[in-house]
Amino acid sequence: MRKLLVIGIGAGNPDHMTVQAISGLNRADVLFIPDKGADKTDLADLRRGICDRFVSNPTSRRVEFDVPVRAEPTSSYRSTVDDWHEAIAAIYEGLIRDEIAGDGCGAFLIWGDPSLYDSALRILERVRLRGNVAFELEVIPGISAIQALAASHKTALNRIGDPVLITTGRRLTEEGMPDNAGSAVVMLDGKCAFNTLADQHLFIQWGAYLGTPDEIIISGRLGDVGAEIEKVRENARRNKGWIMDTYLLRKQESD
């Protein structure tokens, strides 16, 4: 039966690669490299660079594939994402069927960690449920953007006895800073949702392109640095054509 490895490759720094991840790359006959278009060619280049550096298996080969662009959200965000995942599932199915031998092994290289705000595992479950191609699945964890953010800011994610919530920019806009968590990590925020918060005394630790030579980090009281982060973020996005960022929000500790 075909074997699929879903390998977390870290947040951008090749040194984030674990021994397990490097071993997985070299077990695979086929390495799948997604291409998200000219504006995001850096992401494909980073994957290629990781393969160049760590793959020593002389029989392995790379297969690059185009990732469809997600439609602009309609009134139903979930429906838009569902349609997008269905289109990607069709591509995955074709890659598995056509590029991996019946007893071969293929690998998808996943940014960060496959278990955290990445859709590859859900999409592969769609492929499995279609029943057209059978495969075994193995997941290899990686360093997430959240871990890289905390490391760059030299901070712990949690305070003593304090819960941490991981949420999205869309949820932060709709719900505000959660009452049940003193710290919140915000991902998938394309619109600087922190600027919608009433509490400008929150402490923010923001980072973009974490782990890469282009890394940018800013921290401070939200009311003092929020506008700066938004300006820096937009300039960086315009210059590179894309941006990947995340941030930690923290309430002031009560006396």
Side-chain angles (χ1 to χ4, degrees), residues 70-93:
R70 190 180 75 190
E72 288 297 319
T74 62
S75 57
S76 173
Y77 172 79
R78 287 187 178 273
S79 176
T80 302
V81 173
D82 187 67
D83 291 343
W84 182 49
H85 285 179
E86 189 65 21
I88 299 175
I91 294 171
Y92 279 14
E93 182 177 298

Side-chain angles (χ1 to χ4, degrees), residues 28-176:
D29 307 308
V30 185
L31 303 170
F32 295 117
I33 309 292
D35 187 342
K36 295 188 175 183
D39 288 345
K40 296 184 178 181
T41 186
D42 290 356
L43 299 178
D45 286 343
L46 282 166
R47 285 182 170 91
R48 296 182 190 110
I50 284 171
C51 292
D52 289 343
R53 177 172 172 179
F54 294 113
V55 175
S56 57
N57 178 358
T59 65
S60 74
R61 58 191 178 88
R62 304 177 199 175
V63 173
E64 302 197 6
F65 64 97
D66 293 331
V67 178
V69 178
R70 190 180 75 190
E72 288 297 319
T74 62
S75 57
S76 173
Y77 172 79
R78 287 187 178 273
S79 176
T80 302
V81 173
D82 187 67
D83 291 343
W84 182 49
H85 285 179
E86 189 65 21
I88 299 175
I91 294 171
Y92 279 14
E93 182 177 298
L95 291 171
I96 297 167
R97 180 191 63 235
D98 300 336
E99 301 293 349
I100 304 176
D103 59 350
C105 179
F108 286 94
L109 281 63
I110 304 300
W111 213 250
D113 182 89
S115 70
L116 184 63
Y117 283 105
D118 186 89
S119 299
L121 295 177
R122 281 187 291 270
I123 293 170
L124 287 169
E125 179 63 9
R126 285 175 181 255
V127 176
R128 187 187 66 79
L129 291 174
R130 287 181 177 203
N132 297 323
V133 58
F135 55 88
E136 295 178 352
L137 191 65
E138 179 180 337
V139 178
I140 297 176
I143 292 176
S144 69
I146 295 175
Q147 293 165 284
L149 176 74
S152 290
H153 282 284
K154 303 176 180 62
T155 191
L157 289 172
N158 68 294
R159 296 182 298 206
I160 296 174
D162 195 18
V164 177
L165 177 74
I166 301 174
T167 188
T168 65
R170 183 173 61 88
R171 295 291 294 267
L172 188 71
T173 299
E174 294 173 354
E175 302 168 3

Side-chain angles (χ1 to χ4, degrees), residues 9-13 16 111-112 143-145 148 209-212 244:
I9 61 171
N13 186 341
H16 288 171
W111 213 250
I143 292 176
S144 69
Y209 313 116
L210 292 160
T212 75
M244 292 174 64

